[in-house]
Amino acid sequence: MGYQHQLTAGSCDLPVGKVVCVGRNYAEHARELNNPLPDEPLLFIKPSTAIQPIQQAIVIPEGRGGLHYETEVAVLIGAPLTRATEAEASAAITGVGLALDLTLRDLQTSLKNKGLPWEKAKAFDGSCCLSPFVAANTVNLQSLPVKLWINDVLRQDGNTDQMLRSVTALVAHISEWFTLLPGDVVLTGTPAGVGELQAGDQLNLQLGDMLSAATRVEN
């Protein structure tokens, strides 16, 4: 799996930073996994080495159980944020794209049952597949349809207006705990419809009428 070294939104080129992910930000997704809705955003981090271009093939890690897909809206941070207001967070979002948050679900379940962190299941190399970004200043972040087809079957069909917390509220909240730097990416949660990937699967993702991406799965 190949590490991605630079992220671009419009004419802005940024070095790849960390990825801060938000869990359970769509109620139906939380319910499908029998998870309670969180009282505040559930956060975890993927390192920069988790990032690979979305068009690169997804390789199923051998001997580590089922690999699940989660389609998400990703936002690219273009300015430093620490304890930011929502207005400051909005101004710092420079790009919007698509992501696949890949999860070793069997391992995650085992770790959760033992009360252990999820990093092995969520932050492994290639676990964050990112599309190119479009400039954020032309986008309504809270009215974005996001869809995933696998082998021409629609599996995920959501909209950012279904989020429990808005994109700018999430970014501002994250900055209360972790300083966000230019080149950092925030994954904003996945709608319902997640499931396991199989070798040979063909994935097609779409973000409104702005962006589409495709990838495939290999052993």
Side-chain angles (χ1 to χ4, degrees), residues 1-3 50-69 100-104 120-121 124-129 196-201 203 215-219:
M1 295 187 177
Y3 167 62
I51 295 173
Q52 73 172 34
I54 203 165
Q55 69 270 20
Q56 184 174 321
I58 296 167
V59 178
I60 299 175
E62 186 176 357
R64 295 183 178 176
L67 180 68
H68 282 221
Y69 60 85
L100 284 169
D101 171 12
L102 300 180
T103 305
L104 294 168
K120 289 181 180 179
F124 55 93
D125 289 357
S127 62
C128 182
C129 305
E196 187 171 352
L197 293 170
Q198 305 293 334
D201 282 345
L203 283 68
T215 189
R216 67 193 186 279
V217 183
E218 298 179 353
N219 278 326

Side-chain angles (χ1 to χ4, degrees), residues 7-52:
L7 300 174
T8 301
S11 60
C12 180
D13 295 331
L14 296 169
V16 173
K18 61 185 175 291
V19 182
V20 184
C21 306
V22 180
R24 305 179 196 171
N25 196 33
Y26 289 79
E28 288 303 315
H29 169 59
R31 293 188 186 104
E32 74 179 342
L33 296 183
N34 296 314
N35 289 321
L37 296 180
D39 294 329
E40 62 178 59
L42 191 161
L43 306 178
F44 58 95
I45 290 178
K46 295 177 185 267
S48 59
T49 47
I51 295 173
Q52 73 172 34

